[in-house]
Amino acid sequence: MPGPELKDLFENNKKWAGEITKRDPTFFKRLSHLQSPKYLWIGCSDSRVPANQITGLLPGELFVHRNVANIVVHTDLNCLSVLQFAVEILEVRHVIICGHYGCGGVEAAFHSKKLGLIDNWLRHIQDIRTKYSHELNQIKDETACLKRLCELNVLEQAQNVCQTTIVQDARNKKKALSVHALIYDIHDGLLKQLWSSK
Ligand code: CO
């Protein structure tokens, strides 16, 4: 029996599974045999940006990797393994990198906040801030500047995805694969496309 701390979660879960089964009695049985999602989502861990909910996709429709500030680093075996599995085994058609305005990771990097181990991870965003310092310094309003850094971060991470051996190999094999850079606004719940490879 679950302890009292997680009681709500288990109750919600039971209700959720029951509702889905009521609508579609074979839903879980079908999914238990295979998954064939069309999309890989690489997003921020932020609790306000739940990938399936904001895209209205059901279990089985979205393969997901999330980390703080949706960063794709060429030495991150975790992220690269997700990407490789999604592209080569699941054969997803779209890789979506989704950042969001109001990203705590981007803000911490922008203000050079000292938060511990994570400072090393967020250093990648400080490198982007440095790379685009000319553009960013011209934006006088701090909120606007932070928003732009959130966008630049997604755009840079989308380029990183494109430069991985995994996406390069897919391109060489003429696989149908598109990479998209999206940004989500936590103020109105809306997604915006910033860039797309096709
Ligand atoms: Co974030």
Side-chain angles (χ1 to χ4, degrees):
M1 278 294 281
E5 302 92 341
L6 302 181
K7 196 169 156 273
D8 291 352
L9 275 62
F10 280 97
E11 278 176 12
N12 291 346
N13 169 250
K14 216 171 173 178
K15 200 167 152 244
W16 172 80
E19 278 165 8
I20 291 192
T21 309
K22 204 172 151 193
R23 267 204 313 267
D24 182 352
T26 60
F27 182 82
F28 290 110
K29 194 167 182 245
R30 277 200 323 273
L31 268 190
S32 68
H33 295 304
L34 90 163
Q35 60 166 340
S36 55
K38 268 199 297 198
Y39 313 94
L40 163 64
W41 173 280
I42 300 175
C44 183
S45 299
D46 194 306
S47 61
R48 296 166 296 181
V49 195
N52 280 73
Q53 270 162 292
I54 64 178
T55 53
L57 292 176
L58 289 167
E61 295 183 318
L62 193 63
F63 201 64
V64 174
H65 176 80
R66 288 167 72 179
N67 63 42
V68 173
N70 44 270
I71 293 172
V72 178
V73 188
H74 295 297
T75 49
D76 180 2
L77 269 185
N78 182 354
C79 183
L80 291 180
S81 300
V82 171
L83 182 65
Q84 190 247 327
F85 189 77
V87 172
E88 293 179 9
I89 315 295
L90 297 175
E91 300 193 301
V92 298
R93 301 287 300 268
H94 303 274
V95 180
I96 295 166
I97 326 298
C98 184
H100 66 105
Y101 297 127
C103 182
V106 172
E107 281 177 23
F110 182 80
H111 293 298
S112 303
K113 267 190 205 156
K114 294 277 164 270
L115 299 171
L117 174 72
I118 197 170
D119 300 348
N120 299 283
W121 182 249
L122 297 178
R123 179 67 233 177
H124 294 292
I125 298 176
Q126 293 183 315
D127 291 343
I128 297 170
R129 184 187 64 182
T130 305
K131 184 175 171 185
Y132 293 94
S133 59
H134 180 72
E135 177 185 339
L136 291 168
N137 287 342
Q138 287 173 345
I139 308 171
K140 296 298 164 219
D141 178 60
E142 192 181 290
T143 308
C145 193
L146 271 165
K147 281 182 89 171
R148 185 59 188 151
L149 185 55
C150 288
E151 293 175 355
L152 290 169
N153 180 42
V154 190
L155 292 166
E156 285 286 308
Q157 305 314 329
Q159 292 314 307
N160 287 346
V161 167
C162 292
Q163 284 153 10
T164 57
T165 53
I166 301 145
V167 172
Q168 294 286 325
D169 286 351
R171 289 267 150 80
N172 291 337
K173 288 176 187 154
K174 308 263 182 277
K175 261 193 181 179
L177 182 73
S178 307
V179 179
H180 311 271
L182 269 53
I183 195 137
Y184 175 77
D185 196 335
I186 53 170
H187 301 95
D188 58 16
L190 294 175
L191 280 170
K192 187 168 78 182
Q193 181 146 1
L194 296 176
W195 178 83
S196 186
S197 66
K198 272 187 231 165

